[in-house]
Amino acid sequence: MRVLLVGGGGRECALGRAITRHGHELLFGSLNPGLSRFGEYVPGEPEEVAHSHDVGLVVVGPEAPLAAGLVDRLTARGIPAFGPSAAAARLESSKIYTKSLAVRHRLPTARSQVLTRSDRTLPTEPWVVKMDGLAAGKGVWVPDTLAEMHAAVEAAFALQPDGSVLIEERLVGPELSVLGLSDGERVVMLPPARDHKRRFDGDLGPNTGGMGAVAPVAVPSGALVQCHDVLRRAVAGMAAEGCPFRGVLYGGFMLTADGPRLLEFNVRFGDPECQPLMALWDEDPVPWFLGAAQGRLPGERLLVRDAHACCVVVCGEGYPEGREEARIESLPDERADLLVDHAGTTLRDDGLWATGGRVLGITGVAAAPHLARSLAYQAAGEVSFRGASWRMDIGR
Ligand code: AMP
Ligand code: GLY
């Protein structure tokens, strides 16, 4: 089948590899030298490209086009598209919508309160502050003091002058990313994954898009069952409310002493969680993506390798603040057990350049977690450009 992929980061590189590994033809609309290995760059509006190139399925990687209704527009033209409608994408584009869904369907989550411009009554403990809308990972503050909470509320209102702000009780515990494919009714789970969001080792420094991820993660089976139950009940709740969710639903959980608590939903694959998950997913993903889009998943379980994957993100100097460019002097070669996804690179006359931010994701796959880690770290050590850096504790 001819598949059009929307998006051009590390996540889409991993999706492009998985799609073409099974013989499908790939078109993509965002320049990414990593994706060029797998298909053909065809710029243009996805609706037009899909129509003129006889595309059988559009796979949408990032959240912004989903929230902007790309899947609705494609569906209206009879083009199957993997991802939720704009209405269902509110699970990511509005934290207040998600919180109200969680309350209506009794999904376990932190106690919360909505602040408006005129009503800003704050709790006497520092709660977590969240902008309502999409913020590319920059709309959440976890203050340690009341003064920091006040400053965060001001910052959140400043970033979205017409919006509301959600505040919620601060929870503690390890985090877990649980993703499931849904056709609006059924949910088929992927292995549990873990992202490392803070910039520096030991979970220090600012939040980033994600500095590395591993899958599967050892979790007490009771807790995993509860996370799966939250995803299933959310999908059932959306269907009951006339807003079926089709695509991949990503639940971000905190495993607290009282059990898992939902922190957020995303309506797409995580980046970088997608990289280890795609490395473990053995079968052809296209029938699953198409089945989700068309309201009938082709099975009840995914076939995943009995292996472990670890993705280490190599970022540029100053990330997440600056965007320093640098010529890439060397890169590890991709092999069956070592995958190199490009997230911030560009090809110029004098070679491959790092354009800043998250530049590469290097994923090792092996029979044990420590072996996957050492493959990824050994290969990260072969990356050379000025300012290249990465966390040393991914998967520890
Ligand atoms: P979110 O985008 O809602 O997942 O928030 C981003 C990050 O902020 C999460 O991955 C957590 O590390 C942290 N966070 C969010 N909500 C809470 C909470 N209620 N308690 C503690 N940390 C939180
Ligand atoms: N890795 C976190 C995210 O994709 O939102």
Side-chain angles (χ1 to χ4, degrees), residues 24 36 42 45 55-56 58 66 82 92 102 119 132 175 185 188 231 256 304 329 335 391:
H24 303 285
S36 305
V42 185
E45 286 299 320
V55 160
V58 179
L66 295 168
F82 176 68
E92 179 162 359
D119 178 10
D132 183 40
E175 290 182 47
E185 216 176 293
V188 172
L231 262 62
T256 74
V304 287
E329 308 296 340
R335 311 188 304 250
R391 272 178 64 160

Side-chain angles (χ1 to χ4, degrees), residues 95 128 130 140 168-171 175 197 263-264:
K95 292 201 185 270
V128 176
K130 301 186 175 188
V140 176
E168 68 177 30
E169 186 183 14
R170 181 165 178 175
L171 304 173
E175 290 182 47
K197 286 207 172 80
L263 295 182
E264 63 163 347

Side-chain angles (χ1 to χ4, degrees), residues 113-116 118-123 167:
Q113 187 184 319
V114 176
L115 306 180
T116 59
S118 53
D119 178 10
R120 300 199 199 175
T121 321
L122 289 174
I167 56 168

Side-chain angles (χ1 to χ4, degrees), residues 195 197 209 250 266 268 270-273:
D195 182 17
K197 286 207 172 80
Y250 163 142
N266 294 317
R268 39 135 188 117
D271 189 345
E273 289 96 323

